Amino acid sequence: MPRSFPRPRIRPSLRALTCAVLFLPSPPAALAWNGAGHRLVAAIAWQHLDPAARGEAVRLLRHHPDWLRWSAGNAGLDDSGRSAFIAASTWADELRRTAPRHEHSPAKADGSAVLDPADGSAHGDWHYLNRPLDARGRLHSGTLGGNLDQALEQLPRVLADPTQSDLRRAHALAWLIHLVGDAHQPLHTVTRLNPDGDDAGGNGLTIHDPSHPRLTQQSLHAWWDDRPGPPWLRGDKLLSRAARLDEATPATPQRTPIEWLREAQQLARTVAYRDLGSEPITLDDAYRSAAQRTADRQIVAAGRRLATWLDALLLIR
């Protein structure tokens, strides 16, 4: 989660802590769910989409500059459409590696962000919302940066507006396929306060996982990003895992995007940060099991909710 504090919306009681945070060195930014996580969300959403919504999504994605790359190597509209829909899920993170990085979205007079999905910028601040969580596990009101909530409010308006160009709507769709996944990653919705400032959603908190085959030491945020599976998971193996997760997960209430964020914030409080203590932190079997169950449920919830939302946005009559 990038370190960014555009016009922080905070309570007076947090002002002193925020001033300290603003002058801390920034730890390396982590992405949200890894590539496998976002592709799993998209694959599950595709299976739940109304056929007419699938067709409209594919029609719009054909206007995206990356359509040919996304749909390459697939025969037939259904295969190429599904391939492009799933590939579009990681496009926003690819932008963060290649495009100009604007961590502070321009603001309107009322302080709300101005979001242009087709301006070609990386918009790191769209991927997260830093709600403060103190050392006692209490969530504070306000934020210490991030515009994920505003992105989930404004981008659907672009997508559902037939007066917008198909190019802008295609970009809005690709952003939403990705950001719905981000909204369900608990560490993209909070940042834990500490005496020196905060830990940037776990990016600044080092953990030790003796069971990890390669990276026994990494940030808590990066460790959570990899819960869905290896980042190279694609193709039939990806589809099979998506189907297994979907089948094994009970029904998911739809709720609203703001409620999704609140759910994820509570999971950050009760699962991701629970009983971690201070560094050095070693993750035990109980923590790993709880985290995996939570991540699996969140991936499926994101996919199902994305499908229901796109049905409503793309099939407006």
Side-chain angles (χ1 to χ4, degrees):
M1 185 185 302
R3 300 272 302 173
S4 176
F5 304 95
R7 290 182 170 84
R9 306 185 289 279
I10 59 175
R11 288 169 46 177
S13 61
L14 294 177
R15 193 173 306 279
L17 275 172
T18 304
C19 290
V21 169
L22 290 172
F23 295 100
L24 286 176
S26 299
L31 305 180
W33 300 122
N34 63 14
H38 283 288
R39 288 189 288 270
L40 285 167
V41 169
I44 292 168
W46 181 266
Q47 289 305 115
H48 286 271
L49 274 172
D50 182 281
R54 285 184 185 175
E56 179 63 5
V58 172
R59 186 190 71 80
L60 288 175
L61 290 177
R62 285 179 174 275
H63 291 271
H64 195 284
D66 286 281
W67 164 263
L68 290 178
R69 177 171 65 88
W70 291 343
S71 60
N74 290 279
L77 176 62
D78 182 64
D79 287 344
S80 62
R82 180 175 63 182
S83 175
F85 187 87
I86 293 173
S89 69
T90 61
W91 171 75
D93 277 343
E94 292 165 10
L95 277 181
R96 297 170 75 182
R97 292 186 282 266
T98 61
R101 188 165 185 164
H102 296 167
E103 294 295 355
H104 303 269
S105 294
K108 303 175 186 177
D110 63 2
S112 63
V114 179
L115 279 66
D116 182 355
D119 67 0
S121 298
H123 296 298
D125 61 334
W126 294 10
H127 295 254
Y128 68 99
L129 184 70
N130 275 345
R131 185 174 177 187
L133 176 71
D134 68 25
R136 295 183 179 180
R138 299 174 300 188
L139 284 164
H140 292 255
S141 61
T143 73
L144 294 175
N147 284 311
L148 178 55
D149 55 341
Q150 295 187 53
L152 293 175
E153 177 185 359
Q154 295 184 38
L155 293 175
R157 297 174 186 170
V158 177
L159 179 59
D161 184 356
T163 68
Q164 297 279 344
S165 70
D166 285 339
L167 176 64
R168 280 179 56 79
R169 294 180 70 201
H171 278 83
L173 174 56
W175 270 108
L176 283 175
I177 294 171
H178 182 87
L179 294 182
V180 171
D182 281 355
H184 287 76
Q185 210 283 44
L187 293 180
H188 266 246
T189 64
V190 299
T191 184
R192 191 171 72 163
L193 303 172
N194 57 54
D196 297 319
D198 79 295
D199 69 6
N203 277 304
L205 187 62
T206 301
I207 59 90
H208 175 67
D209 179 3
S211 71
H212 198 287
R214 294 177 296 106
L215 299 173
T216 57
Q217 184 168 297
Q218 58 185 305
S219 76
L220 180 68
H221 190 113
W223 187 88
W224 269 84
D225 283 347
D226 283 344
R227 291 312 88 209
W232 53 85
L233 187 63
R234 287 181 171 86
D236 290 341
K237 291 183 178 180
L238 176 87
L239 297 177
S240 295
R241 174 155 171 74
R244 290 195 303 272
L245 286 175
D246 195 17
E247 182 178 357
T249 304
T252 303
Q254 178 64 17
R255 301 200 170 107
T256 66
I258 291 301
E259 290 172 320
W260 305 344
L261 292 170
R262 290 172 182 162
E263 285 178 352
Q265 287 159 353
Q266 288 300 324
L267 290 171
R269 183 180 69 82
T270 60
V271 181
Y273 281 116
R274 185 176 181 180
D275 299 330
L276 281 181
S278 57
E279 298 180 79
I281 297 165
T282 298
L283 304 184
D284 58 21
D285 289 341
Y287 183 93
R288 286 192 293 268
S289 296
Q292 192 63 58
R293 289 193 301 270
T294 298
D296 289 348
R297 288 196 302 267
Q298 288 296 93
I299 289 292
V300 175
R304 292 172 178 173
R305 288 166 170 172
L306 175 61
T308 301
W309 207 18
L310 292 182
D311 281 349
L313 294 171
L314 296 173
L315 299 180
I316 295 175
R317 294 173 174 84

